[in-house]
Amino acid sequence: MQNILYILSGISDVSLIVLIFLWGFDYARKEKPKHNHHFGLWTLATLALTVVLMFAAGSGK
């Protein structure tokens, strides 16, 4: 069970890195369309998921 939590935490870490870059690219666009992507909210949710998975796996001991 602990290995599965570590794998899920790693997957959420990779998605967190991707979402941070997408959020930055979306913010830096020259033309500002209406923001319907919500990359910032997905980034914060993935960060919270990563922290929860790491503590559930026992990394915070």
Side-chain angles (χ1 to χ4, degrees):
M1 182 66 181
Q2 189 175 10
N3 289 336
I4 292 172
L5 290 173
Y6 280 132
I7 291 170
L8 290 175
S9 176
I11 291 171
S12 66
D13 283 342
V14 171
S15 63
L16 180 64
I17 292 169
V18 169
L19 284 169
I20 287 171
F21 279 110
L22 287 175
W23 188 13
F25 286 136
D26 190 46
Y27 180 76
R29 290 173 65 174
K30 293 198 184 281
E31 66 278 352
K32 297 289 184 184
K34 64 177 187 173
H35 292 285
N36 57 358
H37 294 124
H38 305 295
F39 289 125
L41 293 175
W42 282 109
T43 303
L44 294 175
T46 308
L47 177 64
L49 177 67
T50 302
V51 170
V52 166
L53 286 171
M54 288 177 70
F55 278 126
S59 296
K61 291 182 182 176

